[in-house]
C-alpha cells in the first residue's frame, strides 16, 4: 500500500515538474537556438523547417508566422543596457549601427506580441528609410512619451514592453558570421 | 520511515518521469496547439484566396508579432485538391512571400529581389505533381518559382511594405489583385 502511494506521488510530481519545465522552456525568450547581440535576441531558425523543437513549440503555441530565411530576421529587446526591463513610462535612447539589410523597421510590442498604438491609430513603429542619420550612417532615436529632436517614436502608457528590430532581406544569422555584427544600444534616459 | 536510499531512488524516478514528460510535451505542442497560425487563419474565408490578416498596422486576426509597417495577406491551400498558383503584379518598395506547412513551419520564402524578373509568380506542388510538371512544363510557368511541399495543407503569406501612409492604396491594390488559385494541368495541356 505504501509503495503504491509512493509510486502515485512520484508520477504526479514527475508529471507536474515535466509539464512546468515544458511550459517554462517554451516561453517567449527561451535560449534555444537564440542569437544574442547586446540586448537583442533573435531566433534565426524560427522561420526554418529544421528549427529546434523548442522554437517550433513556441511558434505553434503562440500562433506566430515568423519571418522566413529570405524575408528577414527579427531581433527582440526586453531590457536596457543595464539589464532593467523596458517600461512604457520611461524614455530610451536607441543608437548605433544596424546590421546590413535592405531595410529595417523598429516597433514597440507588448510582451504578448501586440503592436503598441498611440492615439488608437498610430503604431509605435518606424521604417529605416524614414530616419535621419548621422554623417557616419549610424542612427540615433528616442522612444517614449517626451518629444525628442528627431527620430522620435511616440509611446505612452505603463508597464513592460519589448522593442523589435526587423531586418528585411538580410542574410544575418543564417549565412553570415555574426561575431563582427553590432546592434544599436538601448539606454535609459529618464522615467 | 523512508530510508535515505529509498528517498534518493524516488527522487531520481520523479526526475526521470519529469524529463520524459517534458520532452513529450515539447514535441507534441506543434501537433496539438489549438491556436496555431493555421487555426487562427481558419477563422477567415481565405481558403484558395488571399484575405488580409492585418491592415493599416492593425491585426484583424490575433497573430502576434506582425510588423505594422506591412500589409499582410494569407491564403490557405490543400495540395491534395490541386497544385497552387500564386500571382501578383505591381511594384512595391519591398515584398516577401513565405510558404508555411500545416504545422506553421516556414518551408520556403523569397522576396522581390530573389524572385524571377522581380515579379511574384509561384507554383507549389507535391512530389507527384512536380514529376508531372517536369515532364511537360507549360510555357507560362517559365518565369515562375516552383516549390515542392511535402505536406498537403499549408498557407501562403504575402508581406507588402507600406513605407508610410501614402503607400496604403498601392499595397492594398497589390494584395487585392494577388491570386491564389488551383493550377489546372488539364486546361494547360489542352490549350497547349
Amino acid at each position: 500500500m505504501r509503495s503504491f502511494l509512493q509510486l502515485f506521488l512520484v508520477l504526479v510530481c514527475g508529471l507536474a515538474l515535466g509539464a512546468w519545465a515544458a511550459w517554462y522552456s517554451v516561453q517567449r525568450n527561451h535560449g534555444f537556438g537564440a542569437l544574442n547581440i547586446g540586448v537583442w535576441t533573435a531566433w534565426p531558425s524560427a522561420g526554418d523547417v529544421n528549427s529546434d523543437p523548442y522554437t517550433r513549440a513556441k511558434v505553434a503555441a503562440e500562433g506566430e508566422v515568423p519571418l522566413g530565411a529570405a524575408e528577414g530576421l527579427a531581433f527582440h529587446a526586453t531590457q536596457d543596457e543595464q539589464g532593467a526591463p523596458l517600461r512604457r513610462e520611461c524614455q530610451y535612447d536607441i543608437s548605433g549601427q544596424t546590421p546590413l539589410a535592405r531595410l529595417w523597421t523598429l516597433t514597440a510590442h507588448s510582451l504578448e506580441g501586440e503592436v503598441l498604438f498611440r492615439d488608437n491609430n498610430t503604431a509605435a513603429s518606424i521604417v529605416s528609410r524614414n530616419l535621419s542619420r548621422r554623417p557616419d550612417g549610424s542612427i540615433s532615436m528616442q522612444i517614449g512619451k517626451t518629444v525628442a529632436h528627431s527620430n522620435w517614436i511616440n509611446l505612452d502608457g505603463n508597464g513592460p514592453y519589448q522593442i523589435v528590430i526587423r531586418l528585411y532581406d538580410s542574410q544575418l544569422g543564417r549565412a553570415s558570421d555574426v561575431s563582427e555584427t553590432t546592434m544599436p544600444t538601448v539606454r535609459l534616459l529618464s522615467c | 520511515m523512508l530510508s535515505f536510499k529509498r528517498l534518493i531512488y524516488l527522487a531520481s524516478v520523479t526526475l526521470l518521469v519529469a524529463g520524459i514528460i517534458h520532452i513529450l510535451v515539447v514535441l507534441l505542442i506543434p501537433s496539438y496547439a489549438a491556436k496555431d497560425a493555421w487555426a487562427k487563419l481558419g477563422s477567415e474565408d481565405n481558403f484558395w484566396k488571399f484575405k488580409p490578416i492585418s491592415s493599416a498596422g492593425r491585426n484583424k486576426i490575433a497573430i502576434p508579432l506582425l510588423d505594422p509597417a506591412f500589409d499582410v495577406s494569407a491564403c490557405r491551400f490543400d495540395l491534395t485538391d490541386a497544385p497552387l498558383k500564386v500571382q501578383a503584379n505591381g511594384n512595391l518598395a519591398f515584398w516577401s512571400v513565405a510558404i508555411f506547412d500545416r504545422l506553421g513551419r516556414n518551408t520556403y520564402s523569397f522576396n522581390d529581389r530573389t524572385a524571377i524578373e522581380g515579379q511574384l509568380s509561384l507554383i507549389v506542388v507535391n512530389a507527384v505533381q512536380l514529376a508531372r510538371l517536369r515532364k511537360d512544363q507549360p510555357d507560362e510557368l517559365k518565369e515562375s518559382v516552383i516549390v515542392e511541399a511535402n505536406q498537403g495543407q499549408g498557407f501562403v503569406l504575402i508581406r507588402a511594405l507600406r513605407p508610410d501612409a501614402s503607400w496604403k492604396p498601392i499595397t492594398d491594390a497589390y494584395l487585392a489583385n494577388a491570386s491564389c488559385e488551383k493550377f489546372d494541368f488539364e486546361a494547360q495541356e489542352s490549350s497547349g
Side-chain angles (χ1 to χ4, degrees), chain B residues 138-171:
Chain B
D139 278 350
E140 67 158 287
L141 299 187
K142 289 263 161 17
E143 281 169 6
S144 299
V145 176
I146 297 173
V147 179
E148 187 186 348
N150 48 10
Q151 259 197 313
Q153 292 179 319
F155 57 95
V156 190
L157 223 64
I158 303 182
R159 305 183 211 248
L161 175 69
R162 178 174 21 77
D164 58 61
S166 70
W167 281 77
K168 182 76 181 139
I170 301 169
T171 56

Side-chain angles (χ1 to χ4, degrees), chain A residues 58-123:
Chain A
K58 170 190 168 249
V59 166
E62 299 189 3
E64 289 176 32
V65 285
L67 292 172
E71 300 192 281
L73 186 60
F75 280 90
H76 302 247
T78 54
Q79 298 181 335
D80 64 18
E81 298 296 324
Q82 306 299 319
L86 299 178
R87 298 196 62 86
R88 294 172 68 170
E89 55 268 36
C90 301
Q91 187 93 1
Y92 297 95
D93 170 82
I94 302 166
S95 33
Q97 299 279 359
T98 50
L100 195 64
R102 211 161 113 203
L103 67 116
W104 52 266
T105 62
L106 185 147
T107 308
H109 286 277
S110 71
L111 295 182
E112 288 73 38
E114 301 152 319
V115 177
L116 297 181
F117 281 83
R118 169 89 187 189
D119 308 329
N120 279 329
N121 52 35
T122 317

Side-chain angles (χ1 to χ4, degrees), chain B residues 46-111:
Chain B
N46 55 12
F47 201 52
W48 293 106
K49 64 181 126 170
F50 278 109
K51 277 286 158 76
I53 65 170
S54 74
S55 70
R58 281 281 195 200
N59 285 13
K60 289 183 71 191
I61 305 169
I63 287 189
L65 292 167
L66 284 180
D67 192 330
F70 279 72
D71 288 318
V72 186
S73 275
C75 165
R76 293 181 300 140
F77 61 85
D78 189 343
L79 294 183
T80 52
D81 293 350
L84 166 74
K85 185 176 185 194
V86 177
Q87 216 153 12
N89 297 304
N91 289 306
L92 296 178
F94 174 81
W95 56 256
S96 65
V97 173
I99 303 165
F100 291 83
D101 66 14
R102 169 66 186 80
L103 296 179
R105 291 181 298 177
N106 193 323
T107 54
Y108 190 80
S109 63
F110 62 100
N111 63 48

Side-chain angles (χ1 to χ4, degrees), chain A residues 2-3 6-7 9-11 13-23 25-26 46-51 53-54 56-71 76 102-103 105-107 109-110 112-115 117 120-121 123-127 129-130 162 164 166 168-169, chain B residues 1-2 6 10-11 13-15 17-19 21-23 25-27 29-31 33-37 40-41 53 56-59 62-70 72 92-98 100-101 103-114 155 157 159 161-164 167:
Chain A
R2 186 207 257 177
S3 64
Q6 284 174 358
L7 179 72
L9 263 176
V10 160
L11 282 179
C13 291
L15 209 71
L17 195 64
W20 175 81
W23 172 81
S25 57
V26 173
D48 196 325
V49 75
N50 298 317
S51 59
Y54 291 98
R56 254 162 81 180
K58 170 190 168 249
V59 166
E62 299 189 3
E64 289 176 32
V65 285
L67 292 172
E71 300 192 281
H76 302 247
R102 211 161 113 203
L103 67 116
T105 62
L106 185 147
T107 308
H109 286 277
S110 71
E112 288 73 38
E114 301 152 319
V115 177
F117 281 83
N120 279 329
N121 52 35
S125 176
I126 204 160
V127 180
R129 53 192 255 167
N130 301 336
Q162 60 177 326
V164 181
R166 293 182 177 85
Y168 288 95
D169 202 357
Chain B
M1 222 20 236
L2 285 174
R6 178 88 179 146
L10 287 176
V13 176
T14 305
L15 281 180
V17 171
I21 294 294
H22 171 80
I23 292 166
V25 169
V26 169
L27 290 180
I29 283 174
S31 309
K35 288 185 187 165
D36 63 4
K40 286 175 179 174
L41 293 172
I53 65 170
R58 281 281 195 200
N59 285 13
I63 287 189
L65 292 167
L66 284 180
D67 192 330
F70 279 72
V72 186
L92 296 178
F94 174 81
W95 56 256
S96 65
V97 173
F100 291 83
D101 66 14
L103 296 179
R105 291 181 298 177
N106 193 323
T107 54
Y108 190 80
S109 63
F110 62 100
N111 63 48
D112 53 354
R113 287 242 178 113
T114 50
F155 57 95
L157 223 64
R159 305 183 211 248
L161 175 69
R162 178 174 21 77
D164 58 61
W167 281 77

